[in-house]
Amino acid sequence: MLFYTVMKPLVQVALRVFFRQLEVRHRGRLHMPGPLLITSNHPNTLMDPLVTAINRRQPIAFLAKSTFFKNPILRAIMESGNSIPIYRRQDLDTGAETLTPAQLEAQNEKAFGRCYDYFDRKGTIMIFPEARA
């Protein structure tokens, strides 16, 4: 939860410095009580989750592709940002993921279990169903 205690205020300031204007439509929906599932298109790898996170008071858990978690430094950053790895079949085809299809399914079952636990605690999950990269 490092992101929400240390990084969130820094990201808020950085976004104000680098962008003159950020438009958030239906901002009130970001303040609805949980459990809540937020979906977004994904034209920019980093901006979409950051803009959403700084505009929601409660922490958000993000589903992110498993390959982000392979590098130990990036894994630490992703975990501190409350991210949950999702294992994609297309990563098996490209060789980016080394699991067997059965292992991939088992890992995703664990990930979805974490999501269900989060929802049980009235948490918020954000997914990016259009993500391709």
Side-chain angles (χ1 to χ4, degrees), residues 40-53:
S40 174
N41 60 354
H42 205 30
N44 185 301
T45 303
L46 189 57
M47 290 303 300
D48 306 312
L50 289 178
V51 169
T52 305

Side-chain angles (χ1 to χ4, degrees), residues 59-91:
I60 300 170
F62 301 94
L63 298 187
K65 66 180 180 175
S66 62
T67 56
F68 286 144
F69 294 79
K70 288 188 175 281
N71 176 299
I73 294 169
L74 189 52
R75 179 178 50 242
I77 292 168
M78 297 296 287
E79 288 173 351
S80 74
N82 212 21
S83 294
I84 299 170
I86 290 295
Y87 298 81
R88 306 178 315 167
R89 289 195 186 275
Q90 66 216 46
D91 292 333

